[in-house]
Amino acid sequence: MAKYELVVILDSKTTPAKKKAFEEKFSKIISVFEGKVVSTLDWGIKEFAYPIKKKDSGLFLIFTLELDPKAAKQLPNKFKLEEDILRHLLIKLEE
């Protein structure tokens, strides 16, 4: 198991209930890949330097994960199916 940091940007108009539902759904996806969400950090709504998908701001969520490297390669494919996600970035952390 390797450690990863995942940054997800959701639409700024995401309600707290929808955000919580996304976090629960994301935790289930990680558990299907036999991984674990170590921590979640909510950075809140930030303005973009340039529009992303015609949006000027977004809700930033940062997840620290323990995940198999093979599963980490498949994870971005799951995000392409989520229309709430504006952008994502998965980074492997140094050990």
Side-chain angles (χ1 to χ4, degrees):
M1 292 280 216
K3 282 199 169 198
Y4 292 90
E5 186 172 84
L6 174 69
V7 178
V8 177
I9 304 174
L10 302 176
D11 187 358
S12 62
K13 293 183 171 79
T14 302
T15 62
K18 200 169 187 180
K19 182 185 94 166
K20 183 172 175 133
F22 172 79
E23 289 175 348
E24 290 172 358
K25 184 177 182 181
F26 177 72
S27 294
K28 287 179 187 177
I29 290 171
I30 295 300
S31 65
V32 166
F33 285 122
E34 298 177 358
K36 183 172 103 174
V37 177
V38 178
S39 66
T40 304
L41 180 61
D42 184 351
W43 268 8
I45 297 173
K46 303 286 183 191
E47 295 291 322
F48 298 146
Y50 55 88
I52 299 175
K53 295 186 180 178
K54 300 181 181 179
K55 308 285 184 189
D56 293 325
S57 62
L59 175 66
F60 284 69
L61 298 173
I62 296 140
F63 299 94
T64 304
L65 310 170
E66 288 182 358
L67 196 59
D68 185 67
K70 291 179 183 177
K73 289 181 181 178
Q74 297 174 2
L75 198 57
N77 294 333
K78 292 286 186 186
F79 292 140
K80 289 179 184 176
L81 301 174
E82 294 291 324
E83 57 189 49
D84 291 334
I85 298 176
L86 299 177
R87 289 272 167 91
H88 68 278
L89 177 66
L90 182 65
I91 300 170
K92 185 175 181 182
L93 297 175
E94 300 267 336
E95 294 182 23

